[in-house]
Amino acid sequence: MGIAENKQVVLDFYEAGARGDTDRCFALLADDITWTNIGTTKFSGTYVGKQALGDNLLGPLFSQLKAGISSQIEQLIAEGDIVVAQTSGTAETTGGVPYNNTYCQVITVRDGKFAAVTEYMDTALIDSVFGKK
């Protein structure tokens, strides 16, 4: 796939997320995806495979949010099979605490799906909103 197609995969993923279409989001992830959240927060680490990603990152995170995270793409930059997405997200915890973070995801696209993601964000904000590890 070319750069334009890889960027479109990332756009499709975020558009599906904005619609709340988690099935489409998961369909755009390779079965053997490797997702790494940087830092030392309770959500930091490397998750390998869709099941581990859902069970160990997405489930625990989204269970603490009222309605998921509303993400906005600020910028997409691509070269080869790498797409870098600069995004901002807004959310509220089930306890009413705002969680508004900025992100940079370095995404490797393979065969039209996310094969790997390294996600950078304000880890101090995560600790302050969700508690330390």
Side-chain angles (χ1 to χ4, degrees), residues 16 23 27 49-50 61 76 84-85 91 97 106 109 132:
D23 290 340
K50 286 183 184 181
L61 172 60
L76 284 180
V84 178
V97 177
V106 180
V109 178
K132 293 192 177 201

Side-chain angles (χ1 to χ4, degrees), residues 40-43 123-124 126-133:
T40 57
T41 73
K42 62 173 51 178
F43 303 119
T123 56
I126 292 171
D127 286 346
S128 129
V129 171
F130 299 103
K132 293 192 177 201
K133 188 174 189 177

Side-chain angles (χ1 to χ4, degrees), residues 1 7 19 31 33 45 63 67 81 87 130:
M1 294 182 63
K7 286 173 82 172
R19 292 190 309 272
D31 290 338
I33 186 163
S63 71
D81 62 354
T87 65
F130 299 103

